[in-house]
């Protein structure tokens, strides 16, 4: 019987020794590469014989997926899948899955860190501290005005795994919390103890807006643009730990420079990495982090365990846990036969 082939396009772990041992126990062939920026032809050549393919940041567009003639299951390391053409995967009969709950707590915690640092003007606090140290003069003038979060309004845009964790964790701050997520069921809203608030209404009401849209689509790309920023309070701040292209960067810079909004906390960028001359880097009212909200040792291992669970499911003739394109199961060209890997 032909051995199952499991390949990785690119990875961020320090090493994959644990995966090697696990695959050895399972009796499957395991190969890994660092081809994040490889051409379509190189990706096709390297991975066309794989049964299971795991990707992190490689671009798997229609050309690549059309050429991966043997791949039955495609896995994404993490949640987002902006670099995978889901329609092409479906057309080719490939089951595509992500690890939808991986690092959710980590991203929620990082979001709260950015909320606190942005709303409490941490960058300006650092300047005040340095001046105090070197001149012995203390003044809060540069930070004025500072407000407490208690009693203010938090707006959550997108309330899936991460957004709902932010909701849960932020309840202890005694804020009014509004949620916009048109895709949540009525039962889920009731379970969370909240009601749906229209997008524009949240922008008008919120002192802090935090974005948790998990995928970039025609609907969500650039959904925060200048006219939307103009709806927000001048004292409001925006936090994005979701997807960079959801915020129009040029419009965000204009809004920050002109005082249309008061601040921003950003972990993800429209173009990654951000340009060295990006004005966001030098702005006193902007807190930046290096697309690291997902990271913790615990979260990193959660993802690794979840991926290997999906590999084991494949060997048992079962689909992955979090299938992104369930419509593939209705296609006659589905490559993966249930119950018979």
């Amino acid at each position: 019987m032909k051995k199952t082939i499991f390949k990785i396009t690119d990875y961020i772990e320090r090493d994959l020794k644990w995966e090697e041992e696990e695959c050895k126990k399972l009796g499957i062939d395991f190969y890994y590469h660092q081809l994040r920026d490889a051409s379509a032809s190189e990706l096709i050549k390297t991975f066309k014989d794989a049964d299971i393919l795991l990707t992190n940041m490689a671009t798997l567009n229609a050309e690549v997926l059309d050429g991966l003639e043997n791949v039955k299951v495609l896995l994404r390391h993490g949640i987002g899948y902006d670099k995978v053409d889901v329609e092409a995967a479906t057309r080719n009969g490939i089951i595509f899955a992500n690890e939808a709950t991986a690092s959710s707590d980590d991203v929620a915690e990082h979001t709260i860190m950015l909320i606190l640092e942005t709303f409490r003007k941490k960058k300006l606090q650092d300047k005040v501290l340095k001046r105090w140290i070197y001149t012995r003069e203390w003044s809060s003038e540069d930070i004025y005005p500072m407000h407490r979060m208690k009693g203010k309004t938090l707006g959550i845009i997108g309330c899936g795994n991460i957004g709902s964790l932010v909701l849960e964790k932020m309840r202890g701050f005694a804020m009014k919390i509004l949620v916009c997520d048109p895709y949540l069921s009525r039962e889920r809203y009731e379970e969370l103890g909240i009601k749906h608030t229209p997008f524009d209404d949240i922008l008008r009401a919120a002192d802090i807006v935090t974005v948790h849209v998990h995928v970039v689509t025609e609907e969500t790309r650039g959904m925060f643009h200048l006219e939307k920023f103009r709806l927000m309070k001048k004292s409001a701040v925006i936090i994005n730990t979701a997807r960079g292209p959801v915020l129009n960067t040029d419009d965000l810079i204009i809004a920050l420079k002109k005082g249309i909004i008061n601040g921003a906390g950003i972990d993800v960028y429209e173009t990654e990495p951000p340009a060295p001359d990006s004005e966001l880097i030098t702005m006193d009212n902007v807190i930046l982090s290096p697309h690291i909200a997902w990271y913790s040792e615990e979260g990193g291992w959660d993802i690794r365990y979840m991926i290997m669970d999906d590999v084991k499911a494949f060997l048992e003739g079962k689909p992955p846990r979090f299938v992104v394109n369930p419509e593939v199961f209705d296609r006659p060209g589905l490559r993966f036969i249930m119950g018979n890997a």
Side-chain angles (χ1 to χ4, degrees):
M1 181 186 238
K2 177 180 173 291
K3 292 178 77 172
T4 295
I5 299 175
F6 172 32
K7 290 189 173 185
I8 297 178
T9 63
D10 60 302
Y11 59 95
I12 53 175
E13 289 76 13
R14 290 173 178 82
D15 64 67
L16 297 176
K17 292 178 182 177
W18 178 78
E19 285 81 0
E20 287 181 324
E21 288 301 314
E22 290 298 302
C23 288
K24 191 179 296 183
K25 293 175 190 175
L26 295 171
I28 65 179
D29 289 339
F30 176 54
Y31 306 93
Y32 51 93
H33 304 262
Q34 287 290 25
L35 295 177
R36 182 189 66 179
D37 300 316
S39 65
S41 59
E42 186 174 5
L43 290 171
I44 293 168
K45 179 181 177 181
T46 307
F47 301 112
K48 65 181 179 180
D49 62 338
D51 296 293
I52 309 168
L53 183 62
L54 172 67
T55 187
N56 184 25
M57 295 302 291
T59 298
L60 301 185
N61 56 26
E63 180 185 357
V64 174
L65 291 170
D66 287 347
L68 298 180
E69 56 196 35
N70 190 60
V71 172
K72 301 170 181 66
V73 170
L74 173 63
L75 302 174
R76 164 70 171 95
H77 183 288
I79 303 171
Y81 45 89
D82 303 345
K83 294 195 172 185
V84 175
D85 189 324
V86 180
E87 184 178 337
T90 303
R91 186 178 67 248
N92 282 285
I94 301 170
I95 298 172
F96 174 51
N98 62 356
E99 306 304 345
T101 60
S103 298
S104 294
D105 274 297
D106 306 292
V107 178
E109 290 173 6
H110 195 90
T111 298
I112 295 169
M113 180 199 79
L114 288 176
I115 287 173
L116 290 167
E117 290 201 341
T118 306
F119 197 76
R120 297 290 297 181
K121 304 180 182 180
K122 181 60 170 62
K123 211 166 182 180
L124 287 171
Q125 287 192 44
D126 290 342
K127 286 192 168 187
V128 170
L129 174 61
K130 289 175 182 176
R131 185 174 64 240
W132 186 30
I133 290 170
Y134 293 111
T135 70
R136 316 305 294 173
E137 295 179 4
W138 186 95
S139 172
S140 63
E141 188 64 30
D142 289 344
I143 300 175
Y144 175 86
M146 181 83 82
H147 298 283
R148 66 173 55 150
M149 289 168 54
K150 181 180 179 180
K152 299 298 186 293
T153 299
L154 172 68
I156 298 175
I157 309 301
C159 202
N161 292 317
I162 295 168
S164 61
L165 283 171
V166 172
L167 170 67
E168 174 188 331
K169 296 174 191 293
M170 288 299 294
R171 278 182 163 142
F173 284 84
M175 302 182 72
K176 180 180 180 180
I177 302 179
L178 304 177
V179 170
C180 174
D181 192 327
Y183 299 102
L184 281 190
S185 66
R186 179 182 299 177
E187 292 74 20
R188 180 58 173 158
Y189 270 110
E190 291 176 355
E191 184 182 337
L192 293 171
I194 53 173
K195 295 180 179 179
H196 172 75
T197 301
F199 181 42
D200 286 358
D201 290 354
I202 285 185
L203 297 185
R204 293 186 183 99
D207 300 286
I208 302 166
V209 174
T210 181
V211 185
H212 301 286
V213 176
H214 76 281
V215 65
V216 178
T217 65
E218 289 185 10
E219 179 185 14
T220 62
R221 183 180 296 276
M223 65 185 291
F224 285 89
H225 50 79
L226 194 56
E227 292 310 307
K228 296 300 182 182
F229 293 130
R230 291 188 189 280
L231 294 178
M232 296 171 65
K233 298 178 180 179
K234 288 188 175 183
S235 58
V237 301
I238 188 165
I239 309 298
N240 188 15
T241 57
R243 293 288 167 262
V246 171
L247 268 64
N248 182 301
T249 304
D250 291 339
D251 285 359
L252 174 62
I253 290 170
I254 291 170
L256 291 164
K257 289 174 69 175
K258 291 189 173 183
I260 295 169
I261 63 172
N262 195 42
I266 306 293
D267 183 63
V268 290
Y269 304 88
E270 194 169 11
T271 300
E272 295 196 341
D277 60 352
S278 171
E279 292 183 77
L280 291 175
I281 297 170
T282 57
M283 286 182 169
D284 287 336
N285 55 347
V286 177
I287 303 291
L288 303 179
S289 58
H291 199 152
I292 198 120
W294 61 272
Y295 175 67
S296 72
E297 284 298 301
E298 296 85 353
W301 277 104
D302 284 348
I303 293 175
R304 297 171 83 168
Y305 293 143
M306 292 167 75
I307 289 166
M308 287 310 302
D309 284 345
D310 283 341
V311 171
K312 292 172 185 176
F314 177 92
L315 297 176
E316 296 169 0
K318 300 174 183 177
R321 186 168 13 184
F322 299 111
V323 176
V324 173
N325 60 338
E327 62 274 15
V328 74
F329 294 116
D330 298 325
R331 292 187 65 85
L334 179 66
R335 295 177 184 176
F336 179 61
I337 302 175
M338 301 295 182
N340 183 20

